[in-house]
Amino acid sequence: MKHSSSSTTISTILLSLLLLFLTIHLTHVGAIPNIQGYQATCKSAAVANPVINYDFCVLTFQSDPKSVDADTRGLARIAALISFNHYNDVTFNIQDLLGKSPDPATKFCLEQCMSLYKSMLDRLAEAMDAINLKHDETAKGLLKTATEAAKKCEAGFGKAGEASPLTQVNHDSVELSSMALTILGFAN
Amino acid sequence: MADYIPLASSPSSPPPVRHLKLLSFALATALLTLVVFLNVHNHSNHSQNPILHPSSPLSRGPSHGVSEKTSGISSLLHSTPFFPWTNHMLQWQRTAFHFQPEKNWMNDPNGPVFYKGWYHLFYQYNPDSAVWGNITWGHAVSRDLIRWRHLPLAMVRDQWYDSDGVWTGSATILPDGTLIMLYTGSTNASVQVQNLAIPTDPTDPLLLEWTKSDANPVLIPPPGVGPKDFRDPTTAWYDDEAEAWRFVIGTKEDKGHSGIALVYQTKDFLNYELLPGRLHGVARTGMWECVDFYPVATTAGVGGLDTSIVGEKVKHVLKASMDDDRHDYYAIGMYESEKVRWVPDDPEEDVGLGLRYDWGKFYASKTFFDQQRARRVLWGWVGETDSEFADAQKGWASLQGIPRTVLLDLKTGSNLLQWPVKEVESLRASSQEFTNINISSGSVVPLDVRSATQLDIEAEFVIDAASLAETLEADVGYNCSTSGGATHRGALGPFGLLVLADPKLSEQTAVYFYIAKKPDGGLQTHFCHDEMKSSHANDIYKRVVGNKVPVLDGETLSVRILVDHSIVESFAQGGRTCITSRVYPTEAIYNSARVFVFNNATGARVAAKSIKVWQMNAAEFDESAF
């Protein structure tokens, strides 16, 4: 007659679990890096704000070595910094496009965009300072303004019935400033 | 394989078998509990606490190289909307005789070298904006380290292996005069790698064009080193026995949160060997950036030494920029070339634990051997301590400190001496000397210095012996950063000078000595900058900074101060303790700036034995000599 071996089974399960836990424990001790902090933050940001794309967010932070050790506030600041540089780059893009003698309607929209983007440089610099100073309401207001400015620039072409040559960069502007805003919301 | 417990031959199993099962059950549970506990515990204590230096609390998470905004006992807590900066105030901030590009962002000095009659300075530069980003190599040349001619960018982000940034590197001159540059590239996947670049035309003394090697990247992060922890190769030195070149790259390891220096060896700068172990490491100091490693003479009259000089007759300085606290630390010790190890003379003053080149705003520094004048010269990045907003408004950020010669202090043996290069004196215009000024306790005395924004000051103070003897109370625990600065009155300090002060003294930057009596009756002198009243503006970082300064028997207290608009650099006791401050006054600017001497000690009779003040001309490059 077969003897019930439930305690055997339990022993087996426990020992297997033990082996599993030991494996996990040892791999951590072996300094295999955990998931990068900013990857987790990007995940949360993408969930909190559908404008933010997880892969884009991760790639953005990857380019800055300080992202690895940054806390949430630090990541918000890095996102604001990258936004600043991006908005600045866009002003050069617009300058190039203006130099190609566009038609009057496009030219008008480009000039509107230039004025918007240039004024946002100061706002984004202020936002970085506000993040440092933990004046989060101020910072969020400034970042929202920067996001709106990029949308306004893009919308201008639609209103004028012109194709926008800035769609991709405007989209990135919205995404970067949104990243800074959303991630700041996670910070303490 | 599952346990196979033999079937009991009868319902009444022998007791030993059942006990065995129970035992293994209990053991498994106990071990499991232990492992789970260890796992959880290990996570929470995972990183060793890095050493935090009280004078500079961490501001976590700013981007690499971005003008570090560390706050001290600070006005930031009470701020505030942005100060209404005017163009008049912001334009005044540009310096007259410190290196800075015409606009935009700068950080680390790179590849300083003297080559075919010219001093070259390269530097981390953002060609597009006044914040860190898009990093390329800026470039300038000079005949005298003071008057600079800006040149086109030397290297840009045009390869996959540096498309994310052309970062810091160093120059090595081979015995036949060949110049090579090793620099860190951040690849298109943001991995840090080392690359080789050589002058496209070695006969061009201006080194305008650079060719990146086809073999790049010549070094990638070795096993165990993180892809973002591998940067800033040093100048190489030649090892006679190995008949090869060696250089250092700083990194870190999780164990002990240690900063460490790795040594690579190469004969041709194309193929490299990572030497076993490490040159040195210090626990709890975190990532070592911008490592520097060089010999200093232990006998007088020698000056600086070529980087390849080794042996028992010299000491070696090991220096690193501590990423965690954004300060540059050095230590003096002995290098053993056979073992490829360096040992500090005093382990308690090891790299990251002891001395800094400069107790103020000074980072990512790098020396080079100037073979023209047989001296070792130190460059250091001096960032901004104002707001990003102001930087964006004014369209630029950062300076290089005044280049300094570096020597071992033969009198103390335990610190370096740094002093502005002699060529600075060529900018001295009119001079004034004030002698034997008695500064009574609690007084502030104006010096009749007409325009006070570009000055070279040399001052000598004496405090009378009776004051020193009369003071009985020990003044332990004085520390520049935690003191109340120039307003905190002690028996024997503070006293010194006020620069960039307006006539009403509503703004002032204090450069001062503070003598503390030790319990054993001896004296300890401290040397500090107090920036707390340097400006009405509160959207800037203002701190009290400084350190002890050795004063030997018979020495008077001496200080040299360079004032150049928004930078004040001072050198106490011939350069034993140095401090750099960035200041942004709103009123003590242009013709409103003045100089005062002050004595805020309660019990000390202080006299300024001599104060020499030179007006400094702007450093202008002579195009005709080009």
mmCIF file of all heavy atoms in Angstrom, chain A residues 10-11 14 18 25 28 62-64 66 74 77-78 81 84-85 88 122 126 129 133 135, chain B residues 24-25 32 43 62-64 76 79-80 128-129 131-132 164 190 228 323 387-389 393:
data_model
loop_
_atom_site.group_PDB
_atom_site.id
_atom_site.type_symbol
_atom_site.label_atom_id
_atom_site.label_comp_id
_atom_site.label_asym_id
_atom_site.label_seq_id
_atom_site.Cartn_x
_atom_site.Cartn_y
_atom_site.Cartn_z
ATOM 1 N N ILE A 10 6.315 18.364 0.683
ATOM 2 C CA ILE A 10 6.562 19.693 1.258
ATOM 3 C C ILE A 10 8.059 19.937 1.382
ATOM 4 O O ILE A 10 8.561 21.011 1.012
ATOM 5 C CB ILE A 10 5.880 19.821 2.636
ATOM 6 C CG1 ILE A 10 4.362 19.812 2.467
ATOM 7 C CG2 ILE A 10 6.311 21.121 3.320
ATOM 8 C CD1 ILE A 10 3.591 19.671 3.767
ATOM 9 N N SER A 11 8.759 18.933 1.871
ATOM 10 C CA SER A 11 10.216 19.060 1.964
ATOM 11 C C SER A 11 10.828 19.394 0.622
ATOM 12 O O SER A 11 11.676 20.263 0.502
ATOM 13 C CB SER A 11 10.824 17.739 2.447
ATOM 14 O OG SER A 11 11.091 17.774 3.792
ATOM 15 N N LEU A 14 9.996 22.912 -0.383
ATOM 16 C CA LEU A 14 10.772 23.878 0.393
ATOM 17 C C LEU A 14 12.225 23.917 -0.053
ATOM 18 O O LEU A 14 12.814 24.983 -0.193
ATOM 19 C CB LEU A 14 10.683 23.533 1.882
ATOM 20 C CG LEU A 14 9.434 24.060 2.585
ATOM 21 C CD1 LEU A 14 9.351 23.517 3.991
ATOM 22 C CD2 LEU A 14 9.428 25.582 2.600
ATOM 23 N N LEU A 18 14.196 26.911 -1.541
ATOM 24 C CA LEU A 18 15.463 27.326 -0.942
ATOM 25 C C LEU A 18 16.516 27.549 -2.017
ATOM 26 O O LEU A 18 17.214 28.555 -2.028
ATOM 27 C CB LEU A 18 15.923 26.244 0.047
ATOM 28 C CG LEU A 18 17.329 26.446 0.626
ATOM 29 C CD1 LEU A 18 17.368 27.683 1.496
ATOM 30 C CD2 LEU A 18 17.737 25.235 1.437
ATOM 31 N N HIS A 25 19.538 35.374 -4.413
ATOM 32 C CA HIS A 25 20.391 36.073 -3.451
ATOM 33 C C HIS A 25 21.809 36.199 -3.983
ATOM 34 O O HIS A 25 22.416 37.255 -3.944
ATOM 35 C CB HIS A 25 20.368 35.300 -2.137
ATOM 36 C CG HIS A 25 21.281 35.869 -1.096
ATOM 37 N ND1 HIS A 25 21.007 37.044 -0.437
ATOM 38 C CD2 HIS A 25 22.458 35.435 -0.615
ATOM 39 C CE1 HIS A 25 21.980 37.297 0.431
ATOM 40 N NE2 HIS A 25 22.881 36.347 0.340
ATOM 41 N N HIS A 28 22.383 38.713 -6.795
ATOM 42 C CA HIS A 28 22.423 40.096 -6.343
ATOM 43 C C HIS A 28 23.780 40.422 -5.734
ATOM 44 O O HIS A 28 24.345 41.466 -5.979
ATOM 45 C CB HIS A 28 21.328 40.370 -5.318
ATOM 46 C CG HIS A 28 20.007 40.581 -5.995
ATOM 47 N ND1 HIS A 28 18.806 40.350 -5.384
ATOM 48 C CD2 HIS A 28 19.704 40.999 -7.228
ATOM 49 C CE1 HIS A 28 17.824 40.617 -6.223
ATOM 50 N NE2 HIS A 28 18.337 41.019 -7.351
ATOM 51 N N GLN A 62 19.143 57.708 -20.810
ATOM 52 C CA GLN A 62 20.359 56.938 -21.063
ATOM 53 C C GLN A 62 21.505 57.844 -21.498
ATOM 54 O O GLN A 62 22.658 57.592 -21.196
ATOM 55 C CB GLN A 62 20.073 55.905 -22.143
ATOM 56 C CG GLN A 62 21.176 54.884 -22.301
ATOM 57 C CD GLN A 62 20.829 53.907 -23.401
ATOM 58 O OE1 GLN A 62 20.328 52.824 -23.121
ATOM 59 N NE2 GLN A 62 21.081 54.285 -24.626
ATOM 60 N N SER A 63 21.180 58.931 -22.183
ATOM 61 C CA SER A 63 22.231 59.783 -22.721
ATOM 62 C C SER A 63 22.919 60.620 -21.658
ATOM 63 O O SER A 63 23.926 61.262 -21.928
ATOM 64 C CB SER A 63 21.661 60.707 -23.793
ATOM 65 O OG SER A 63 20.802 61.663 -23.188
ATOM 66 N N ASP A 64 22.393 60.635 -20.463
ATOM 67 C CA ASP A 64 23.006 61.433 -19.412
ATOM 68 C C ASP A 64 23.507 60.524 -18.295
ATOM 69 O O ASP A 64 22.716 59.864 -17.643
ATOM 70 C CB ASP A 64 21.990 62.433 -18.854
ATOM 71 C CG ASP A 64 22.646 63.464 -17.957
ATOM 72 O OD1 ASP A 64 23.560 63.089 -17.182
ATOM 73 O OD2 ASP A 64 22.262 64.634 -18.032
ATOM 74 N N LYS A 66 24.439 60.968 -15.417
ATOM 75 C CA LYS A 66 23.969 61.259 -14.075
ATOM 76 C C LYS A 66 22.615 60.597 -13.791
ATOM 77 O O LYS A 66 22.187 60.513 -12.649
ATOM 78 C CB LYS A 66 23.821 62.769 -13.876
ATOM 79 C CG LYS A 66 25.136 63.445 -13.516
ATOM 80 C CD LYS A 66 25.546 63.066 -12.100
ATOM 81 C CE LYS A 66 26.739 63.832 -11.606
ATOM 82 N NZ LYS A 66 28.001 63.128 -11.901
ATOM 83 N N GLY A 74 16.015 64.559 -9.280
ATOM 84 C CA GLY A 74 17.143 64.663 -10.194
ATOM 85 C C GLY A 74 16.758 64.316 -11.618
ATOM 86 O O GLY A 74 17.185 64.974 -12.576
ATOM 87 N N ARG A 77 14.864 67.077 -13.164
ATOM 88 C CA ARG A 77 15.756 68.149 -13.554
ATOM 89 C C ARG A 77 16.495 67.813 -14.843
ATOM 90 O O ARG A 77 16.673 68.659 -15.705
ATOM 91 C CB ARG A 77 16.748 68.422 -12.435
ATOM 92 C CG ARG A 77 17.470 69.720 -12.658
ATOM 93 C CD ARG A 77 18.531 69.950 -11.626
ATOM 94 N NE ARG A 77 19.203 71.194 -11.878
ATOM 95 C CZ ARG A 77 20.040 71.395 -12.894
ATOM 96 N NH1 ARG A 77 20.320 70.412 -13.718
ATOM 97 N NH2 ARG A 77 20.595 72.580 -13.071
ATOM 98 N N ILE A 78 16.927 66.570 -14.958
ATOM 99 C CA ILE A 78 17.611 66.149 -16.186
ATOM 100 C C ILE A 78 16.665 66.277 -17.375
ATOM 101 O O ILE A 78 17.061 66.754 -18.449
ATOM 102 C CB ILE A 78 18.149 64.713 -16.046
ATOM 103 C CG1 ILE A 78 19.289 64.682 -15.019
ATOM 104 C CG2 ILE A 78 18.627 64.171 -17.386
ATOM 105 C CD1 ILE A 78 19.737 63.278 -14.641
ATOM 106 N N LEU A 81 16.504 69.834 -18.321
ATOM 107 C CA LEU A 81 17.740 70.244 -18.991
ATOM 108 C C LEU A 81 17.725 69.795 -20.446
ATOM 109 O O LEU A 81 18.065 70.561 -21.353
ATOM 110 C CB LEU A 81 18.948 69.623 -18.266
ATOM 111 C CG LEU A 81 20.279 69.816 -18.976
ATOM 112 C CD1 LEU A 81 20.794 71.220 -18.767
ATOM 113 C CD2 LEU A 81 21.321 68.816 -18.499
ATOM 114 N N PHE A 84 15.467 71.885 -22.400
ATOM 115 C CA PHE A 84 16.082 73.173 -22.732
ATOM 116 C C PHE A 84 16.932 73.038 -23.983
ATOM 117 O O PHE A 84 16.808 73.825 -24.927
ATOM 118 C CB PHE A 84 16.931 73.668 -21.561
ATOM 119 C CG PHE A 84 17.619 74.984 -21.817
ATOM 120 C CD1 PHE A 84 17.050 76.172 -21.389
ATOM 121 C CD2 PHE A 84 18.833 75.039 -22.501
ATOM 122 C CE1 PHE A 84 17.678 77.390 -21.626
ATOM 123 C CE2 PHE A 84 19.463 76.261 -22.751
ATOM 124 C CZ PHE A 84 18.878 77.435 -22.305
ATOM 125 N N ASN A 85 17.817 72.052 -23.996
ATOM 126 C CA ASN A 85 18.685 71.877 -25.153
ATOM 127 C C ASN A 85 17.888 71.554 -26.414
ATOM 128 O O ASN A 85 18.233 72.006 -27.508
ATOM 129 C CB ASN A 85 19.730 70.782 -24.887
ATOM 130 C CG ASN A 85 20.945 71.324 -24.137
ATOM 131 O OD1 ASN A 85 21.432 72.416 -24.430
ATOM 132 N ND2 ASN A 85 21.441 70.569 -23.175
ATOM 133 N N ASN A 88 16.197 74.634 -27.676
ATOM 134 C CA ASN A 88 17.248 75.461 -28.267
ATOM 135 C C ASN A 88 17.597 74.962 -29.666
ATOM 136 O O ASN A 88 17.735 75.742 -30.612
ATOM 137 C CB ASN A 88 18.478 75.419 -27.360
ATOM 138 C CG ASN A 88 19.529 76.422 -27.760
ATOM 139 O OD1 ASN A 88 19.249 77.591 -27.978
ATOM 140 N ND2 ASN A 88 20.767 75.963 -27.900
ATOM 141 N N ASP A 122 13.887 80.710 -21.644
ATOM 142 C CA ASP A 122 13.948 81.316 -20.317
ATOM 143 C C ASP A 122 13.057 80.559 -19.338
ATOM 144 O O ASP A 122 13.439 80.330 -18.190
ATOM 145 C CB ASP A 122 13.492 82.777 -20.364
ATOM 146 C CG ASP A 122 14.578 83.686 -20.908
ATOM 147 O OD1 ASP A 122 15.728 83.227 -21.007
ATOM 148 O OD2 ASP A 122 14.275 84.845 -21.241
ATOM 149 N N GLU A 126 14.228 78.710 -15.918
ATOM 150 C CA GLU A 126 13.568 78.983 -14.640
ATOM 151 C C GLU A 126 13.017 77.698 -14.036
ATOM 152 O O GLU A 126 13.045 77.502 -12.824
ATOM 153 C CB GLU A 126 12.410 79.972 -14.838
ATOM 154 C CG GLU A 126 12.859 81.403 -15.022
ATOM 155 C CD GLU A 126 11.694 82.323 -15.390
ATOM 156 O OE1 GLU A 126 10.549 81.842 -15.474
ATOM 157 O OE2 GLU A 126 11.946 83.516 -15.579
ATOM 158 N N ASP A 129 15.693 75.840 -12.228
ATOM 159 C CA ASP A 129 15.976 76.476 -10.943
ATOM 160 C C ASP A 129 14.877 76.158 -9.945
ATOM 161 O O ASP A 129 15.142 75.865 -8.783
ATOM 162 C CB ASP A 129 16.094 77.996 -11.123
ATOM 163 C CG ASP A 129 17.331 78.388 -11.913
ATOM 164 O OD1 ASP A 129 18.377 77.759 -11.704
ATOM 165 O OD2 ASP A 129 17.235 79.322 -12.732
ATOM 166 N N LEU A 133 15.023 74.335 -6.292
ATOM 167 C CA LEU A 133 14.580 75.035 -5.094
ATOM 168 C C LEU A 133 13.342 74.395 -4.475
ATOM 169 O O LEU A 133 12.848 74.859 -3.457
ATOM 170 C CB LEU A 133 14.252 76.500 -5.444
ATOM 171 C CG LEU A 133 15.431 77.348 -5.903
ATOM 172 C CD1 LEU A 133 14.961 78.704 -6.402
ATOM 173 C CD2 LEU A 133 16.425 77.533 -4.780
ATOM 174 N N HIS A 135 10.424 74.513 -5.609
ATOM 175 C CA HIS A 135 9.222 75.322 -5.869
ATOM 176 C C HIS A 135 8.448 74.603 -6.969
ATOM 177 O O HIS A 135 8.397 75.049 -8.113
ATOM 178 C CB HIS A 135 9.603 76.722 -6.314
ATOM 179 C CG HIS A 135 10.278 77.524 -5.245
ATOM 180 N ND1 HIS A 135 10.887 78.733 -5.506
ATOM 181 C CD2 HIS A 135 10.438 77.310 -3.928
ATOM 182 C CE1 HIS A 135 11.398 79.210 -4.374
ATOM 183 N NE2 HIS A 135 11.141 78.370 -3.416
ATOM 184 N N SER B 24 14.568 17.297 8.183
ATOM 185 C CA SER B 24 14.844 17.950 6.897
ATOM 186 C C SER B 24 13.819 19.046 6.636
ATOM 187 O O SER B 24 14.142 20.091 6.066
ATOM 188 C CB SER B 24 14.867 16.921 5.755
ATOM 189 O OG SER B 24 13.576 16.450 5.501
ATOM 190 N N PHE B 25 12.602 18.838 7.070
ATOM 191 C CA PHE B 25 11.546 19.836 6.951
ATOM 192 C C PHE B 25 11.946 21.082 7.743
ATOM 193 O O PHE B 25 11.895 22.208 7.260
ATOM 194 C CB PHE B 25 10.240 19.226 7.492
ATOM 195 C CG PHE B 25 9.049 20.140 7.371
ATOM 196 C CD1 PHE B 25 8.191 20.026 6.282
ATOM 197 C CD2 PHE B 25 8.780 21.097 8.345
ATOM 198 C CE1 PHE B 25 7.069 20.851 6.179
ATOM 199 C CE2 PHE B 25 7.678 21.922 8.239
ATOM 200 C CZ PHE B 25 6.814 21.810 7.163
ATOM 201 N N LEU B 32 15.458 28.566 4.700
ATOM 202 C CA LEU B 32 14.643 29.447 3.863
ATOM 203 C C LEU B 32 14.430 30.792 4.544
ATOM 204 O O LEU B 32 14.594 31.846 3.947
ATOM 205 C CB LEU B 32 13.294 28.758 3.630
ATOM 206 C CG LEU B 32 12.588 29.162 2.364
ATOM 207 C CD1 LEU B 32 13.334 28.587 1.186
ATOM 208 C CD2 LEU B 32 11.159 28.675 2.379
ATOM 209 N N HIS B 43 19.228 44.147 0.680
ATOM 210 C CA HIS B 43 18.733 45.199 -0.206
ATOM 211 C C HIS B 43 18.721 46.545 0.485
ATOM 212 O O HIS B 43 19.089 47.554 -0.089
ATOM 213 C CB HIS B 43 17.318 44.867 -0.696
ATOM 214 C CG HIS B 43 17.331 44.059 -1.945
ATOM 215 N ND1 HIS B 43 17.834 44.558 -3.121
ATOM 216 C CD2 HIS B 43 16.936 42.807 -2.192
ATOM 217 C CE1 HIS B 43 17.729 43.615 -4.059
ATOM 218 N NE2 HIS B 43 17.194 42.555 -3.529
ATOM 219 N N PRO B 62 21.982 66.106 -10.351
ATOM 220 C CA PRO B 62 22.165 67.000 -11.504
ATOM 221 C C PRO B 62 22.944 66.282 -12.596
ATOM 222 O O PRO B 62 23.642 65.332 -12.314
ATOM 223 C CB PRO B 62 22.986 68.151 -10.947
ATOM 224 C CG PRO B 62 23.633 67.622 -9.745
ATOM 225 C CD PRO B 62 22.769 66.508 -9.222
ATOM 226 N N SER B 63 22.802 66.754 -13.780
ATOM 227 C CA SER B 63 23.467 66.093 -14.888
ATOM 228 C C SER B 63 24.964 66.218 -14.764
ATOM 229 O O SER B 63 25.470 67.150 -14.170
ATOM 230 C CB SER B 63 23.061 66.750 -16.199
ATOM 231 O OG SER B 63 21.665 66.725 -16.305
ATOM 232 N N HIS B 64 25.658 65.271 -15.360
ATOM 233 C CA HIS B 64 27.114 65.340 -15.369
ATOM 234 C C HIS B 64 27.566 66.666 -15.935
ATOM 235 O O HIS B 64 27.218 67.015 -17.035
ATOM 236 C CB HIS B 64 27.658 64.203 -16.235
ATOM 237 C CG HIS B 64 29.121 64.314 -16.459
ATOM 238 N ND1 HIS B 64 30.048 63.969 -15.502
ATOM 239 C CD2 HIS B 64 29.825 64.786 -17.491
ATOM 240 C CE1 HIS B 64 31.251 64.184 -15.988
ATOM 241 N NE2 HIS B 64 31.160 64.675 -17.198
ATOM 242 N N LEU B 76 19.143 79.916 0.096
ATOM 243 C CA LEU B 76 18.165 79.256 -0.764
ATOM 244 C C LEU B 76 16.901 78.890 -0.005
ATOM 245 O O LEU B 76 15.824 78.824 -0.562
ATOM 246 C CB LEU B 76 18.741 77.984 -1.366
ATOM 247 C CG LEU B 76 19.738 78.198 -2.461
ATOM 248 C CD1 LEU B 76 20.153 76.873 -3.032
ATOM 249 C CD2 LEU B 76 19.141 79.042 -3.564
ATOM 250 N N SER B 79 14.503 81.613 -0.293
ATOM 251 C CA SER B 79 14.160 82.265 -1.552
ATOM 252 C C SER B 79 12.913 81.627 -2.137
ATOM 253 O O SER B 79 12.479 80.632 -1.646
ATOM 254 C CB SER B 79 15.342 82.236 -2.473
ATOM 255 O OG SER B 79 15.613 80.959 -2.929
ATOM 256 N N THR B 80 12.545 82.100 -3.198
ATOM 257 C CA THR B 80 12.320 83.499 -3.583
ATOM 258 C C THR B 80 12.206 83.550 -5.079
ATOM 259 O O THR B 80 12.777 82.752 -5.802
ATOM 260 C CB THR B 80 13.509 84.419 -3.231
ATOM 261 O OG1 THR B 80 14.394 84.483 -4.252
ATOM 262 C CG2 THR B 80 14.024 84.078 -1.940
ATOM 263 N N ASP B 128 26.035 75.278 -28.558
ATOM 264 C CA ASP B 128 24.684 75.751 -28.864
ATOM 265 C C ASP B 128 24.008 76.530 -27.745
ATOM 266 O O ASP B 128 23.138 77.352 -28.020
ATOM 267 C CB ASP B 128 23.781 74.564 -29.207
ATOM 268 C CG ASP B 128 24.272 73.831 -30.436
ATOM 269 O OD1 ASP B 128 24.870 74.489 -31.302
ATOM 270 O OD2 ASP B 128 24.062 72.604 -30.516
ATOM 271 N N SER B 129 24.338 76.248 -26.494
ATOM 272 C CA SER B 129 23.591 76.921 -25.433
ATOM 273 C C SER B 129 24.428 77.089 -24.169
ATOM 274 O O SER B 129 25.557 76.610 -24.088
ATOM 275 C CB SER B 129 22.314 76.139 -25.100
ATOM 276 O OG SER B 129 22.595 75.093 -24.202
ATOM 277 N N VAL B 131 23.835 75.863 -21.236
ATOM 278 C CA VAL B 131 23.756 74.774 -20.252
ATOM 279 C C VAL B 131 24.515 73.592 -20.825
ATOM 280 O O VAL B 131 24.828 73.548 -22.017
ATOM 281 C CB VAL B 131 22.293 74.358 -19.932
ATOM 282 C CG1 VAL B 131 21.499 75.539 -19.431
ATOM 283 C CG2 VAL B 131 21.623 73.706 -21.125
ATOM 284 N N TRP B 132 24.813 72.614 -19.967
ATOM 285 C CA TRP B 132 25.574 71.447 -20.424
ATOM 286 C C TRP B 132 24.809 70.670 -21.488
ATOM 287 O O TRP B 132 23.606 70.461 -21.387
ATOM 288 C CB TRP B 132 25.840 70.535 -19.218
ATOM 289 C CG TRP B 132 26.641 69.328 -19.565
ATOM 290 C CD1 TRP B 132 28.000 69.249 -19.691
ATOM 291 C CD2 TRP B 132 26.144 68.019 -19.844
ATOM 292 N NE1 TRP B 132 28.371 67.972 -20.026
ATOM 293 C CE2 TRP B 132 27.250 67.187 -20.130
ATOM 294 C CE3 TRP B 132 24.875 67.452 -19.880
ATOM 295 C CZ2 TRP B 132 27.132 65.839 -20.434
ATOM 296 C CZ3 TRP B 132 24.749 66.091 -20.193
ATOM 297 C CH2 TRP B 132 25.876 65.311 -20.469
ATOM 298 N N ASP B 164 27.525 60.915 -28.619
ATOM 299 C CA ASP B 164 26.797 61.380 -27.452
ATOM 300 C C ASP B 164 27.615 62.403 -26.658
ATOM 301 O O ASP B 164 27.105 63.019 -25.729
ATOM 302 C CB ASP B 164 26.477 60.161 -26.581
ATOM 303 C CG ASP B 164 25.384 60.436 -25.590
ATOM 304 O OD1 ASP B 164 24.380 61.050 -25.986
ATOM 305 O OD2 ASP B 164 25.545 60.056 -24.418
ATOM 306 N N SER B 190 25.486 55.539 -25.461
ATOM 307 C CA SER B 190 25.860 56.143 -24.173
ATOM 308 C C SER B 190 26.806 55.289 -23.348
ATOM 309 O O SER B 190 26.748 55.316 -22.120
ATOM 310 C CB SER B 190 24.605 56.470 -23.352
ATOM 311 O OG SER B 190 23.737 57.269 -24.102
ATOM 312 N N LYS B 228 29.082 53.349 -17.659
ATOM 313 C CA LYS B 228 29.080 54.776 -17.412
ATOM 314 C C LYS B 228 30.063 55.142 -16.293
ATOM 315 O O LYS B 228 29.960 56.194 -15.667
ATOM 316 C CB LYS B 228 27.664 55.232 -17.045
ATOM 317 C CG LYS B 228 26.698 55.129 -18.219
ATOM 318 C CD LYS B 228 25.442 55.913 -17.970
ATOM 319 C CE LYS B 228 24.628 56.139 -19.219
ATOM 320 N NZ LYS B 228 24.001 54.965 -19.801
ATOM 321 N N ASP B 323 32.942 62.486 -7.732
ATOM 322 C CA ASP B 323 31.638 62.715 -8.337
ATOM 323 C C ASP B 323 30.565 62.939 -7.281
ATOM 324 O O ASP B 323 29.635 63.698 -7.480
ATOM 325 C CB ASP B 323 31.297 61.491 -9.198
ATOM 326 C CG ASP B 323 30.201 61.783 -10.196
ATOM 327 O OD1 ASP B 323 29.944 62.965 -10.486
ATOM 328 O OD2 ASP B 323 29.594 60.823 -10.695
ATOM 329 N N SER B 387 21.753 81.195 -10.973
ATOM 330 C CA SER B 387 20.646 80.368 -11.462
ATOM 331 C C SER B 387 20.830 80.045 -12.948
ATOM 332 O O SER B 387 21.521 80.764 -13.672
ATOM 333 C CB SER B 387 19.318 81.107 -11.269
ATOM 334 O OG SER B 387 19.292 82.271 -12.086
ATOM 335 N N GLU B 388 20.183 78.968 -13.373
ATOM 336 C CA GLU B 388 20.178 78.613 -14.787
ATOM 337 C C GLU B 388 19.547 79.746 -15.592
ATOM 338 O O GLU B 388 19.948 80.019 -16.723
ATOM 339 C CB GLU B 388 19.355 77.330 -15.019
ATOM 340 C CG GLU B 388 19.849 76.114 -14.275
ATOM 341 C CD GLU B 388 21.049 75.476 -14.932
ATOM 342 O OE1 GLU B 388 21.645 76.052 -15.855
ATOM 343 O OE2 GLU B 388 21.420 74.372 -14.491
ATOM 344 N N PHE B 389 18.565 80.364 -14.970
ATOM 345 C CA PHE B 389 17.864 81.453 -15.638
ATOM 346 C C PHE B 389 18.841 82.575 -15.981
ATOM 347 O O PHE B 389 18.858 83.081 -17.107
ATOM 348 C CB PHE B 389 16.731 81.966 -14.741
ATOM 349 C CG PHE B 389 16.025 83.168 -15.281
ATOM 350 C CD1 PHE B 389 15.267 83.076 -16.434
ATOM 351 C CD2 PHE B 389 16.121 84.404 -14.661
ATOM 352 C CE1 PHE B 389 14.608 84.170 -16.942
ATOM 353 C CE2 PHE B 389 15.462 85.510 -15.160
ATOM 354 C CZ PHE B 389 14.705 85.405 -16.306
ATOM 355 N N GLN B 393 20.005 83.956 -19.567
ATOM 356 C CA GLN B 393 19.917 85.387 -19.902
ATOM 357 C C GLN B 393 21.241 85.917 -20.414
ATOM 358 O O GLN B 393 21.300 86.639 -21.400
ATOM 359 C CB GLN B 393 19.557 86.196 -18.636
ATOM 360 C CG GLN B 393 18.176 85.968 -18.106
ATOM 361 C CD GLN B 393 17.158 86.689 -18.950
ATOM 362 O OE1 GLN B 393 16.633 86.146 -19.900
ATOM 363 N NE2 GLN B 393 16.903 87.932 -18.606
#
